[in-house]
Amino acid sequence: MRIAVTGSIASDHLMVFPGRFTEHLMADRLDHVSLSFLADDLQVRHGGVAANIAYGLARLGLRPLLVGAAGRDFSQQRALLEAAGVDTSPVRISGTRHTARFVCTTDRDQNQIATFYAGAMAEAADIRLEEFFVDADFVLVGPDDPAAMVRHAEACRRHGMPFAADPSQQLARLEPAAIRGLFEGARYLFTNAYEQALLLQRTGLSGEDVLRRVGAWVVTLGADGARIERHAAPAVTVPAVPVARVADPTGAGDAFRAGFLAEHARGRDDTEAARTGCALAATALESVGSQDYEASYGPVRERALAGVGR
């Protein structure tokens, strides 16, 4: 199975604050917040949700298509992704904008405060996803320019292309009707637990309403693993894989999606896919940078199965 991954391509500016954000927030002053956190570490890394997921898929032996928009400063990231096994030929290069920027500060409790600058990603709506269907068997519609996300999902439904929807941080930007249109008919809907609650709030739908519209809802739970929900079926929870040391949480959810989809491409069931997703997420957590961890399919699969009686 060849997977086309749509969504953001970015550079990550990752900082570490040695204290706790919560100690600097005053409950009676939240309507006027003016805070500055002194970070004691800065890492500049390649990122973007689509690029992260494509990287993870490539590390696990697939040759994914990366579909998104970047600036002329994408050349170094492109070379590294290609070397890892990602096909970047569909990437649209802007003539005027920089590649998107993700600026994130993480505190000692792994809480994060981040800002995302769209840059060239704003041109993703000009991409005609269907032009790449001849080279793909499955599509992940990831967080991107909002108009692009809606257009990509519509193209998949119109052409009968199976797809997964991953609205992620764009839930706050998408209109309720657009959110519903994004996941309608998706084989998988990916969110974390907070995004699951936000999606229900924004759309006014119940959990069962959503489950009637998708094949499965895969919810990542951080240290508690992942939960797979289906309409009229019991939810299945897969535990997280133990981590030796959390170096940086950025990109762990993207690594989970890559591990899950890599197993889906191999024909494994959703529970097995979630186990491998948790194992690749653990690998990513132990490294700084969402496209800097080393992984290959055999060791990741062994880590996924450790402790489950196999």
Side-chain angles (χ1 to χ4, degrees):
M1 179 184 287
R2 191 93 185 275
I3 299 176
V5 184
T6 78
S8 61
I9 301 166
S11 66
D12 292 345
H13 294 244
L14 310 175
M15 288 169 279
V16 175
F17 173 59
R20 293 184 170 93
F21 295 144
T22 54
E23 294 175 349
H24 300 270
L25 296 172
M26 294 182 291
D28 60 342
R29 295 289 188 272
L30 294 180
D31 55 337
H32 295 288
V33 177
S34 179
L35 291 172
S36 176
F37 298 102
L38 182 62
D40 60 7
D41 186 49
L42 168 66
Q43 299 283 337
V44 180
R45 305 280 178 160
H46 299 302
V49 170
N52 293 344
I53 295 173
Y55 175 83
L57 288 167
R59 298 304 309 182
L60 297 184
L62 279 69
R63 174 72 169 162
L65 290 162
L66 176 59
V67 184
R72 285 176 291 183
D73 53 343
F74 178 60
S75 57
Q76 183 185 37
Q77 187 177 11
R78 164 171 267 162
L80 293 171
L81 287 169
E82 286 283 352
V86 177
D87 184 348
T88 65
S89 60
V91 174
R92 174 190 172 93
I93 302 299
S94 171
T96 59
R97 294 181 173 97
H98 290 289
T99 299
R101 296 285 189 275
F102 175 69
V103 181
C104 181
T105 304
T106 303
D107 75 0
R108 65 187 300 176
D109 293 330
Q110 305 303 314
N111 295 313
Q112 295 184 311
I113 295 176
T115 301
F116 188 83
Y117 165 68
M121 193 181 79
E123 299 181 15
D126 296 328
I127 296 172
R128 291 180 55 82
L129 180 63
E130 51 267 46
E131 293 178 3
F132 308 106
F133 284 171
V134 66
D135 297 316
D137 306 293
F138 190 88
V139 171
L140 173 70
V141 180
D144 204 340
D145 175 79
M149 297 171 72
V150 172
R151 182 171 177 175
H152 293 340
E154 290 174 347
C156 289
R157 284 190 291 268
R158 188 168 60 252
H159 293 272
M161 173 65 71
F163 72 102
D166 179 15
S168 191
Q169 63 264 31
Q170 292 295 49
L171 279 171
R173 289 282 305 273
L174 290 164
E175 294 296 323
I179 297 172
R180 292 191 293 269
L182 178 65
F183 63 73
E184 184 78 39
R187 184 166 295 179
Y188 296 107
L189 169 61
F190 289 104
T191 66
N192 61 30
Y194 176 82
E195 292 161 354
Q196 181 179 44
L198 181 60
L199 184 148
L200 297 177
Q201 179 191 71
R202 296 272 291 136
T203 61
L205 298 173
S206 68
E208 281 301 309
D209 289 335
V210 175
L211 292 176
R212 290 187 187 96
R213 292 165 165 81
V214 300
W217 194 344
V218 183
V219 184
T220 55
L221 306 171
D224 293 323
R227 184 174 62 244
I228 304 163
E229 302 177 5
R230 289 184 178 275
H231 175 59
V236 176
T237 300
V238 174
V241 170
V243 176
R245 181 183 71 89
V246 175
D248 176 28
T250 306
D254 301 334
F256 173 87
R257 287 151 176 73
F260 187 100
L261 292 173
E263 294 291 46
H264 175 66
R266 288 181 167 89
R268 294 193 187 273
D269 66 34
D270 293 346
T271 302
E272 295 302 317
R275 285 179 177 144
T276 298
C278 288
L280 193 63
T283 301
L285 281 168
E286 294 167 345
S287 175
V288 176
S290 48
Q291 294 169 38
D292 294 275
Y293 59 86
E294 294 292 330
S296 59
Y297 180 71
V300 170
R301 185 62 184 164
E302 288 177 11
R303 189 173 186 180
L305 296 178
V308 294
R310 298 195 177 189

